[in-house]
Amino acid sequence: MKETFIKLIKDVDLNNPVFIEALPGIGHVGKLVAEHLIHELGAEKFAELYSPSFPPQVFVDEDGIVEPMKNEFYYLQGQGEDNRDFIFLGGNTQGLSPEGQYEICGSILDFVDGYGVKEIYTLGGLGTGQPVENPKVYGAATNKELAEMLKEHEVTLRSADGGIIGASGLILGLGVSRGMHGVCLMSETPGYFIDADASKAVLTVLLKLLKVDVDVSKLEERAEETRKMINKAQQMEREMAERMNIVPGEEDLRYIG
């Protein structure tokens, strides 16, 4: 594999879909939200993205089956009060390097642009490094109108002294030049464990913005499943670092939103 590519699994016809990015990041906040929505709403996978910029490893499940590093596109049609179509982007990794992030995010935007996407939501966590009793949801937007919309939904706007690292920020930034606009929703989280409470805070706001109704009661169960998967991934990373004499934390983008 020499470059990022997307494997189309199923041809779908979508009408002005909303694009929701929720790749793994701090507290795995966005990832949990996406997995919950995909499961509860019955979204169907229609494409997979592979890249040489992903970590050089694979997952092995409880049955000994290998799962490659990848991002996955799911779709839904006719959801919520406005009867909207949606594309969800989930997966088990992000790009390791800045160059890889730009290439991957560019490929993602090329792909969803082909379906007419103009509206984007990116989801993530905002690390506090300490326990949070009632996670607050922060946001950022690509224009003033969307920023005002966030404030109307009691989302605190991200201050000028903080950026958004990784796909959650880059997809929004690169999307503007393509005529796409949107917001990033981030919930406070300690950042060192799979945070179902932070995910629930983001999910609650997102559902109001999208005018979609989803049961959130099973989110903690999904968080436990994700914890098991992440523990395996981190163990593999430690083993790989030991073999390659890599100092933990070097070239590490797991703090991304």
Side-chain angles (χ1 to χ4, degrees), residues 14-247:
L14 301 175
N15 179 28
N16 189 29
V18 178
F19 177 48
I20 299 176
E21 175 275 328
L23 293 172
I26 190 166
H28 287 262
V29 173
K31 178 177 173 62
L32 272 180
V33 171
E35 290 176 347
H36 189 74
L37 289 172
I38 288 166
H39 184 272
E40 293 297 315
L41 294 174
E44 184 175 348
K45 184 163 67 173
F46 71 107
E48 297 175 335
L49 181 149
Y50 298 89
S51 176
S53 295
F54 287 158
Q57 65 186 54
V58 295
F59 287 119
V60 180
D61 68 16
E62 295 178 357
D63 298 318
I65 305 302
V66 167
E67 178 186 346
M69 310 304 289
K70 61 184 175 181
N71 291 171
E72 300 169 305
F73 296 88
Y74 292 79
Y75 78 95
L76 279 169
Q77 294 173 303
Q79 297 292 317
E81 292 181 16
D82 295 332
N83 204 37
R84 298 291 304 275
D85 293 349
F86 293 90
I87 296 176
F88 296 95
L89 176 66
N92 53 26
T93 190
Q94 289 199 38
L96 283 175
S97 67
E99 297 82 4
Q101 283 278 9
Y102 271 91
E103 182 198 11
I104 292 167
C105 289
S107 296
I108 289 167
L109 289 169
D110 286 342
F111 182 69
V112 300
D113 193 17
Y115 291 92
V117 165
K118 296 299 179 185
E119 184 177 345
I120 299 174
Y121 291 82
T122 68
L123 313 176
L126 186 61
T128 63
Q130 57 189 4
V132 181
E133 185 172 348
N134 295 302
K136 181 186 294 185
V137 177
Y138 288 82
T142 58
N143 59 46
K144 291 183 178 180
E145 290 76 15
L146 290 173
E148 287 299 319
M149 178 190 72
L150 291 179
K151 289 194 291 185
E152 290 172 4
H153 285 80
E154 300 182 347
V155 174
T156 302
L157 295 183
R158 186 87 162 97
S159 63
D161 60 351
I164 305 172
I165 300 173
S168 292
L170 200 53
I171 283 176
L172 282 179
L174 295 177
V176 171
S177 64
R178 300 166 183 255
M180 302 176 185
H181 288 275
V183 303
C184 178
L185 297 175
M186 303 162 281
S187 180
E188 293 178 313
T189 175
Y192 46 78
F193 60 85
I194 311 303
D195 196 337
D197 289 335
S199 297
K200 187 179 294 185
V202 166
L203 178 59
T204 300
V205 173
L206 180 66
L207 292 176
K208 291 179 181 178
L209 293 172
L210 299 179
K211 301 178 182 178
V212 174
D213 185 25
V214 173
D215 182 7
V216 301
S217 63
K218 296 182 180 178
L219 195 59
E220 178 57 44
E221 295 177 19
R222 196 144 290 113
E224 181 58 32
E225 295 172 2
T226 303
R227 289 187 190 103
K228 293 178 181 178
M229 182 272 290
I230 297 303
N231 286 338
K232 291 181 182 180
Q234 291 175 340
Q235 177 61 33
M236 286 189 293
E237 289 176 0
R238 287 192 292 268
E239 293 173 355
M240 183 177 66
E242 291 173 359
R243 289 195 298 270
M244 300 176 67
N245 294 319
I246 297 175
V247 178

